[in-house]
Amino acid sequence: MGDTNSLSRRRLLGGLAATGVVSAAGGAVLANGVPGADEEHSDPAAPEADDAATVAFHGPVQAGIWTPPQRHVIFSSFNIVSPDIKDLTALLKEWTLACEALTAGREVHGRQGRRTELRPDSGLALGLEPAQLTITWGFGPSLFDSRFGLADRRPIGLTPLPAFPGDQLSASSSDGDVVVQLCADDRQILTHAFLELRAVAVGRATLRWSQHGFSSPSSDGAPQRSLIGHHDGTANPSPNSDLAQQLVLSTSTSEQAWMRGGTYGVFRKIRLRLGPWHSTPAAEQDRVVGRRLVEGSPLSAPADAPLHTPVDLTARDSAGSPPIHARAHVRGMHRFPMYRRGYNYDDGFNASDNSQQAHPPADPAIDHDHGPAGRGAAHNAYDAGLLFVTFNADPGRQFVPAQRHIAASDDLATFMLTVASALYAVPPGVQPGQHLGHELLAGIA
């Protein structure tokens, strides 16, 4: 969503700074993803990007939580190599400097130990706006083991997720000491940011896993459609609502002081069984979800009802039956309000992957990629689905019971296979002059 006129980003910023104007496409600049918040921490002397293309890195809440979903995401996880907390602190400080530069549209400089004959920055983003780049950081349960002396500072909600029926998790694609969510509206900007953060980590942290996803919001402002065709996150509370604040921010007096005002991120890579789904009659698809695919309206409302028509779980049809089935996804999730920020993913065809072969389409004589069975079962080996992300104040009371319900009582689970998972503590935003984990490490490093 960069500027489309002929002004350079530095000329425009200079004009804005001179006049005191802070606007983006007619609205308030996003300071840490909160519409209308003042961007108090920018440095007018630094060569920054066009305000319309930036989301402030500093602020009370990390960017990438309330921020409207950008078009691309890379989730990545790192394991810290050195058991010395001084090395961890140095890495977090250098990552902070890199984030400040990347989100402002500047090159990354000053990496520790960087050979002088090498470029300080890869240059992949030269001439490009930062495209609403946000970088959101979280710490996994493993960071609070015996290596760094942080066990007594472990957040109260950072308990490893239990095993859920039906999960087939890959250990190499789950968990990690540090989890990072990078989002942007330009894929090259995102790749540049990911590579620069990984370069900072060399010798001090190893990349455990990474995963790319994408979002395609409708032109009418409706939520994106998942790869089963239905809108994803229709009932998501508005980020500006009191409900969203209550669902997301951890403010309990029992919480670790350094985590108050932060949140907990849950990441789940859910592979969708697209072969069986596309072999399911349209009416049955809608029954499983509890909504009409085309209109998005709940089955408790008329077909021409708007997308956001409230769900009526007490409604009955002319025969006295509930139009929303007892095992419909909508009915179950109505009990578990949750703020989510998911993306689709498409990792393509993997001929050696048989993980879905035990789940044939509704009509086993048909393969929707290649016609009659026997000519190839490519659809079952197609790895695509949902990167489910939710930010919870208390995942043990919010996400865990919701996932248990899905596994036991939700017909949509038939078409889902969770293959990767991570839980991480997302501390409050970084303030100018501080670094990632500043309060967590205070008095130790």
Side-chain angles (χ1 to χ4, degrees):
M1 299 195 302
D3 189 27
T4 56
N5 62 29
S6 59
L7 288 174
S8 72
R9 60 186 184 178
R10 289 176 176 80
R11 285 178 57 201
L12 179 57
L13 179 70
L16 290 173
T19 61
V21 176
V22 283
S23 65
V29 168
L30 290 177
N32 235 348
V34 181
D38 292 332
E39 193 166 22
E40 300 173 349
H41 308 306
S42 59
D43 178 4
E48 303 270 335
D50 174 3
D51 278 335
T54 62
V55 179
F57 177 70
H58 298 124
V61 178
Q62 289 198 52
I65 297 174
W66 304 128
T67 313
Q70 300 94 317
R71 291 188 176 274
H72 300 277
V73 65
I74 293 178
F75 293 98
S76 56
S77 172
F78 294 86
N79 282 341
I80 307 301
V81 175
S82 171
D84 189 335
I85 196 168
K86 292 182 179 179
D87 291 339
L88 172 62
T89 303
L91 174 59
L92 292 176
K93 287 180 177 180
E94 199 165 334
W95 263 337
T96 303
L97 294 175
C99 288
E100 291 171 341
L102 291 165
T103 55
R106 303 194 305 267
E107 293 183 60
V108 176
H109 293 286
R111 279 183 240 154
Q112 181 178 331
R114 186 75 169 174
R115 302 205 315 267
T116 56
E117 70 272 20
L118 299 180
R119 294 184 184 277
D121 183 288
S122 65
L124 296 182
L126 291 176
L128 300 177
E129 300 289 0
Q132 299 285 330
L133 173 67
T134 58
I135 306 175
T136 313
W137 294 84
F139 303 128
S142 57
L143 191 74
F144 297 87
D145 58 18
S146 61
R147 288 173 294 167
F148 305 111
L150 298 174
D152 61 348
R153 300 192 179 192
R154 181 174 177 152
I156 58 174
L158 198 61
T159 300
L161 297 175
F164 297 108
D167 283 5
Q168 294 184 22
L169 302 183
S170 166
S172 62
S173 300
S174 300
D175 303 321
D177 291 341
V178 180
V179 177
V180 189
Q181 172 192 281
L182 301 97
C183 303
D185 285 325
D186 185 299
R187 178 66 190 270
Q188 183 147 331
I189 286 292
L190 200 62
T191 297
H192 172 248
F194 170 73
L195 292 176
E196 292 301 325
L197 293 180
R198 187 177 182 184
V200 169
V202 169
R204 294 176 291 187
T206 58
L207 182 67
R208 183 179 177 90
W209 54 265
S210 67
Q211 176 67 53
H212 171 257
F214 58 91
S215 175
S216 301
S218 302
S219 58
D220 61 0
Q224 71 163 352
R225 291 185 183 269
S226 70
L227 298 189
I228 62 171
H230 281 265
H231 291 291
D232 182 41
T234 305
N236 221 25
S238 168
N240 295 319
S241 67
D242 290 341
L243 175 59
Q245 302 284 324
Q246 294 167 8
L247 292 173
V248 172
L249 300 182
S250 179
T251 57
S252 169
T253 55
S254 300
E255 182 61 274
Q256 295 280 353
W258 66 269
M259 258 295 287
R260 288 179 200 153
T263 183
Y264 294 90
V266 177
F267 168 86
R268 304 275 283 177
K269 181 179 179 181
I270 303 172
R271 182 171 175 175
L272 295 174
R273 295 181 172 123
L274 296 178
W277 177 259
H278 291 302
S279 299
T280 300
E284 177 66 6
Q285 289 182 346
D286 290 354
R287 184 201 69 80
V288 167
V289 175
R291 291 183 177 273
R292 300 173 181 89
L293 183 148
V294 176
E295 299 86 358
S297 56
L299 296 183
S300 58
D304 60 353
L307 169 67
H308 293 290
T309 299
V311 174
D312 182 1
L313 298 180
T314 66
R316 294 294 183 268
D317 59 23
S318 58
S321 301
I324 298 180
H325 191 268
R327 293 178 61 89
H329 186 66
V330 163
R331 181 173 288 275
M333 290 302 97
H334 195 75
R335 297 165 45 197
F336 304 103
M338 200 174 298
Y339 179 76
R340 55 190 293 172
R341 202 173 183 277
Y343 284 80
N344 295 322
Y345 82 91
D346 184 345
D347 288 348
F349 170 65
N350 183 354
S352 64
D353 187 349
N354 296 316
S355 64
Q356 297 202 60
Q357 299 306 313
H359 305 275
D363 182 351
I366 297 176
D367 167 41
H368 282 251
D369 281 338
H370 294 85
R375 295 187 188 176
H379 218 153
N380 285 337
Y382 200 78
D383 186 5
L386 173 68
L387 302 179
F388 175 87
V389 181
T390 178
F391 292 104
N392 291 183
D394 185 346
R397 292 195 304 112
Q398 294 171 262
F399 171 75
V400 170
Q403 184 59 39
R404 283 177 172 154
H405 170 85
I406 290 174
S409 307
D410 190 331
D411 283 343
L412 190 58
T414 304
F415 303 95
M416 303 190 301
L417 178 66
T418 302
V419 296
S421 179
L423 171 67
Y424 46 103
V426 181
V430 177
Q431 301 302 320
Q434 296 182 349
H435 61 80
L436 296 164
H438 175 87
E439 293 188 353
L440 166 64
L441 301 176
I444 296 180

